[in-house]
Amino acid sequence: MKVVQLIDTLRAGGAERMAVNMATVFSQASIDNMLIVSRETGMQADRLDSRTQLQVLHKKGSLDWRAFRKLLRLVREFSPDILHVHSTSLYWGVPLKWFLKDVTLIWHDHYGLSDQLKEGDRKIERFCSSWIDGVVSVNEKLKNWAIQDLGMQSKNVVMISNFPHLKELDRFKRLNNEKVILFQLANFRPQKNHFLAVKSLKILLDKYQLEAELWLAGSTELDQQYTVEVNQLIEDLDLSDQVQILGEVEDVEDILEKASVGLLTSDSEGLPVSLLEYGLAALPVVVTEVGQCKKVLENGKYGVLVPVNDERLFAKALKELLEDYPKAIQMGEEFHKHTLHSYGGEKFLMNYKQFVESI
């Protein structure tokens, strides 16, 4: 099996981290693979296995014919069995399929607003469906959407969970912390609802009289107006000394070692890679009940689930977790074991190969 992956960028983001993680497990399994980035690389490129071929097209727009010709040449020369396109890279994957009819086109659907999908949404994806050979969905809602709304045959759609991959870290380092650090790894976009994290911190400090800091990591450039609004809320609530906006971080392992609790405050998700990274780092977590989070945490067995956009319940959950932190640490350790067993790269690869062979 030879695989070419196509993705828009390698900046911070769940789909981008998954593309790099997949390249890593392909290389570790001695599967020839190439990762083609259509626009620009980013910090995720530094995490690539040296055996993976990386190519960048520097695409200037959706109709950049020069970049498309380079893409076509690269794929023809590599001669893959599988063309695996992530998210909106499908829009170039389909024209590529027109020229390379023997390649199997797999679309990896990471759509983060799966909880808000309505009938008639995603018209371009519907148009592209005739040329898609298989769909990998990151949660059951997206799998069902691909069958019912996209019109794919059920045998050509599979739900395969994301998986994390981190450098070695000391997951017990946080026991020596002199301060409580609440950590959220999420790009600054409206669906991530950083407002909930900030408001919950305010309640934790004022109502429950617990000292804590909030560290927010993720790209601040994807929706600059949203970033401005988050900063304004921090200022309005007089939390400038307690909240750090870190932007994109190169060494997330260093922060995961220091963090006391991992947060996810999204209004909608697919299967957040950041949650699985919290698990790999044995981090106690408080997350909103969106996407696959409930399934990942097995209904609260491995972390605390809170309804969407309820800062009072979110703050209360944080308070209870912090007041019995030894119990929280034990829950984090169980989450670590669960993540290794149920969301490892080897399991992903086994399921992926079985799916590809069945198409």
Side-chain angles (χ1 to χ4, degrees), residues 7 28 45 60 82 87 103-104 120 141 200 221 234 246 258 260 271 277 284 305 329 334 338:
I7 194 160
Q28 289 174 345
K60 305 300 182 185
I82 306 296
S87 302
V103 73
T104 299
K141 287 184 179 179
S200 299
E221 299 177 6
I234 293 168
L246 307 174
K258 296 174 181 175
S260 308
L271 198 172
E277 290 176 343
L305 292 157
I329 286 292
E334 294 301 318
H338 173 60

Side-chain angles (χ1 to χ4, degrees), residues 264-287:
L264 191 148
T265 56
S266 301
D267 292 334
S268 180
E269 282 287 354
L271 198 172
V273 178
S274 57
L275 177 58
L276 299 176
E277 290 176 343
Y278 296 162
L280 204 57
L283 193 59
V285 296
V286 178
V287 306

Side-chain angles (χ1 to χ4, degrees), residues 340-354:
L340 287 175
H341 179 264
S342 301
Y343 297 95
E346 296 82 3
K347 186 170 185 177
F348 176 92
L349 183 59
M350 178 186 69
N351 291 334
Y352 184 79
K353 290 172 76 173
Q354 288 176 350

Side-chain angles (χ1 to χ4, degrees), residues 100-341:
L100 305 169
K101 299 187 184 301
D102 292 335
V103 73
T104 299
L105 178 61
I106 304 294
W107 177 41
H108 204 144
D109 189 6
H110 301 268
Y111 193 56
L113 296 174
S114 60
D115 291 304
Q116 301 170 16
L117 265 176
K118 302 186 297 295
E119 186 176 351
D121 286 350
R122 310 179 82 188
K123 291 181 174 59
I124 299 177
E125 286 79 358
R126 291 167 185 269
F127 170 78
C128 292
S129 62
S130 298
W131 294 278
I132 300 172
D133 296 303
V135 178
V136 174
S137 303
V138 299
N139 65 28
E140 290 293 342
K141 287 184 179 179
L142 291 175
K143 176 184 175 182
N144 293 334
W145 178 85
I147 296 168
Q148 297 168 7
D149 292 61
L150 205 60
M152 298 292 297
Q153 295 184 42
S154 58
K155 69 181 183 67
N156 293 336
V157 182
V158 67
M159 198 285 280
I160 307 181
S161 297
N162 290 338
F163 66 95
H165 182 79
L166 296 172
K167 293 181 287 187
E168 189 172 343
L169 52 75
D170 180 1
R171 63 183 192 273
F172 299 107
K173 189 174 182 178
R174 65 181 60 95
L175 297 177
N176 299 319
N177 280 359
E178 295 181 358
K179 57 185 177 182
V180 173
I181 299 170
L182 311 178
F183 176 53
Q184 175 147 306
L185 178 60
N187 288 333
F188 280 66
R189 293 183 293 171
Q191 76 188 70
K192 301 299 183 180
N193 194 5
H194 292 77
F195 305 116
L196 176 58
V198 175
K199 291 175 183 177
S200 299
L201 174 66
K202 182 66 173 176
I203 295 172
L204 197 67
L205 297 174
D206 291 355
K207 180 178 180 179
Y208 297 122
Q209 299 294 301
L210 292 175
E211 292 298 320
E213 293 183 8
L214 175 62
W215 293 8
L216 303 173
S219 175
T220 59
E221 299 177 6
L222 300 175
D223 189 325
Q224 294 186 358
Q225 179 58 38
Y226 173 77
T227 302
V228 168
E229 292 171 3
V230 173
N231 274 297
Q232 187 61 56
L233 178 64
I234 293 168
E235 186 176 328
D236 291 345
L237 295 181
D238 195 24
L239 292 174
S240 298
D241 292 336
Q242 288 80 28
V243 181
Q244 292 190 44
I245 295 181
L246 307 174
E248 292 187 51
V249 292
E250 187 168 355
D251 190 359
V252 70
E253 290 86 355
D254 181 58
I255 301 174
L256 288 169
E257 287 179 340
K258 296 174 181 175
S260 308
V261 181
L263 311 184
L264 191 148
T265 56
S266 301
D267 292 334
S268 180
E269 282 287 354
L271 198 172
V273 178
S274 57
L275 177 58
L276 299 176
E277 290 176 343
Y278 296 162
L280 204 57
L283 193 59
V285 296
V286 178
V287 306
T288 46
E289 193 174 324
V290 291
Q292 292 291 103
C293 294
K294 186 175 182 179
K295 181 177 180 181
V296 170
L297 297 179
E298 292 199 357
N299 299 315
K301 181 178 180 180
Y302 300 112
V304 183
L305 292 157
V306 179
V308 169
N309 204 29
D310 191 327
E311 62 263 27
R312 290 180 177 83
L313 286 180
F314 206 96
K316 183 181 178 184
L318 286 170
K319 167 187 173 288
E320 292 173 352
L321 204 65
L322 293 170
E323 285 183 340
D324 192 353
Y325 198 60
K327 181 180 177 181
I329 286 292
Q330 183 58 42
M331 182 182 284
E333 280 298 306
E334 294 301 318
F335 187 21
H336 172 74
K337 295 173 187 175
H338 173 60
T339 303
L340 287 175
H341 179 264

